Amino acid sequence: MILRLNGVSVRRSGRTILGPIDWSVGPDERWVVIGPNGSGKTTLAQVASTYLWPTTGTVEVLGETIGHVDARELRRRIGYAGAGLEAAIDPALSALDVVVTARHAALGPWWHTFTDEDHGRAHQLLAEIGAAGLADRPFGLLSTGERRRVQIARALMPDPDLLILDEPGSSLDLGARETLVRDLAGLADRPRPAAIVLVTHHLEEIPRGFRHALVMGDGRSIEAGAIGDTLTGRALSAAFGMPIDVAVRAGRFTARLSAGPEPANDEVHERPSRSARTSGR
Ligand SMILES: Nc1ncnc2c1ncn2[C@@H]1O[C@H](COP(=O)(O)OP(=O)(O)OP(=O)(O)O)[C@@H](O)[C@H]1O
Ligand SMILES: [Mg+2]
């Protein structure tokens, strides 16, 4: 098992913000975590990536129980990207340094030394995620979408066994989002990382190859398991407290507020336009 949470809860300021929750992620599994604002997704991602200790319960990551091992060693095997980490990155660091420093699970070059191979790998990861041209630019001056890419390259730098991405698609424009979804689908197909957890708000951002889902509501798991059984209108309606319809088309999910019976002219949007048809596309 890559990740196993048993009776995990997190309390802050006298309030339970996560759990109690049980959740397991096995090898070769790619999970989507979805739920409303404040439902505990980021807290869960931080617990899973060993950056946050739970108030109750046990967390096993990569065969080790948190609290019984040196978390710094474990963190080298976990790739993590999220808004909290982004805020902690020195804005003056170059994009390349942001990536390469993940080699030692560090936030700055400090006393670490890096080999040509490390730098080569960082360049390659930036190129793979479409950010080759950003290597020398200061992280703090990058656009939101560019910072997202650099963070993903950083998360992949240690060739992690477990990759956790907390909302990598937030604030991306349409093209950047679609490119990200494509790249994550490609990553999902590879043997490594052994397991991937993707926190997202949008069902449209679920890449192919992600076959498990955890639906959260109010710090708890509402549904967890195979994506087809889990990402249902029923589960999302329960999580969001409103009637939601889910549709799957060509392997991509969409969700929207239940509108009752479909309007008869809705299919107009589906049909290619007259000019598209006559031009043979
Ligand atoms: N240190 C803290 N002290 C008190 N409350 C906290 C703390 N950290 C988080 N919370 C609260 O815990 C709840 C869960 O937060 P979390 O960030 O995990 O939600 P989320 O599902 O990631 O939300 P979003 O979709 O907005 O990112 C929120 O209500 C948040 O305000
Ligand atoms: Mg969050």
Side-chain angles (χ1 to χ4, degrees):
M1 201 51 70
I2 301 284
L3 179 66
R4 195 197 306 270
L5 272 60
N6 248 320
V8 163
S9 69
V10 174
R11 284 183 72 79
R12 287 286 180 277
S13 318
R15 206 162 69 82
T16 300
I17 61 170
L18 177 70
I21 187 167
D22 299 326
W23 182 42
S24 295
V25 172
D28 300 326
E29 291 180 355
R30 281 86 180 86
W31 281 77
V32 174
V33 178
I34 211 152
N37 292 132
S39 59
K41 303 179 300 295
T42 293
T43 308
L44 178 75
Q46 287 174 340
V47 167
S49 59
T50 78
Y51 282 89
L52 192 74
W53 278 34
T55 313
T56 68
T58 55
V59 181
E60 287 169 51
V61 189
L62 302 168
E64 311 281 359
T65 304
I66 304 300
H68 295 259
V69 284
D70 182 351
R72 283 170 306 178
E73 283 302 315
L74 203 49
R75 271 178 211 159
R76 288 175 212 266
R77 300 172 58 201
I78 302 169
Y80 177 83
L85 179 68
E86 186 169 312
I89 292 173
D90 176 356
L93 281 186
S94 70
L96 188 76
D97 276 346
V98 170
V99 178
V100 86
T101 50
R103 176 82 181 73
H104 299 287
L107 279 172
W110 304 321
W111 58 87
H112 297 297
T113 53
F114 301 96
T115 63
D116 288 349
E117 199 185 336
D118 292 336
H119 284 111
R121 177 172 171 78
H123 274 297
Q124 187 196 333
L125 287 167
L126 281 170
E128 282 176 12
I129 202 91
L134 306 179
D136 298 326
R137 307 249 304 267
F139 185 73
L141 297 184
L142 300 178
S143 81
T144 313
E146 290 167 344
R147 286 201 301 270
R148 294 277 182 280
R149 282 165 196 282
V150 171
Q151 268 213 80
I152 293 171
R154 175 185 161 89
L156 288 169
M157 179 70 196
D159 187 22
D161 294 307
L162 170 62
L163 176 67
I164 299 174
L165 302 174
D166 189 355
E167 289 192 50
S170 67
S171 357
L172 294 191
D173 69 36
L174 176 63
R177 183 193 77 180
E178 288 302 297
T179 308
L180 176 73
V181 170
R182 184 200 64 200
D183 291 348
L184 291 178
L187 197 61
D189 276 345
R190 296 192 201 166
R192 294 187 61 80
I196 306 177
V197 174
L198 170 67
V199 177
T200 179
H201 277 132
H202 303 293
L203 274 72
E204 292 76 5
E205 284 175 9
I206 301 174
R208 287 167 199 273
F210 281 68
R211 301 197 212 290
H212 289 81
L214 167 65
V215 179
M216 294 189 62
D218 215 10
R220 312 275 193 102
S221 161
I222 288 180
E223 288 280 358
I227 202 162
D229 303 333
T230 319
L231 275 194
T232 59
R234 197 180 51 76
L236 291 176
S237 301
F240 288 87
M242 58 176 73
I244 289 173
D245 287 335
V246 174
V248 190
R249 224 175 117 204
R252 292 284 293 274
F253 286 83
T254 54
R256 62 175 191 176
L257 191 65
S258 291
E262 293 282 309
N265 66 352
D266 224 31
E267 60 168 339
V268 168
H269 298 292
E270 312 277 302
R271 236 184 267 149
S273 68
R274 178 187 288 262
S275 60
R277 266 183 284 152
T278 50
S279 68
R281 279 194 286 145

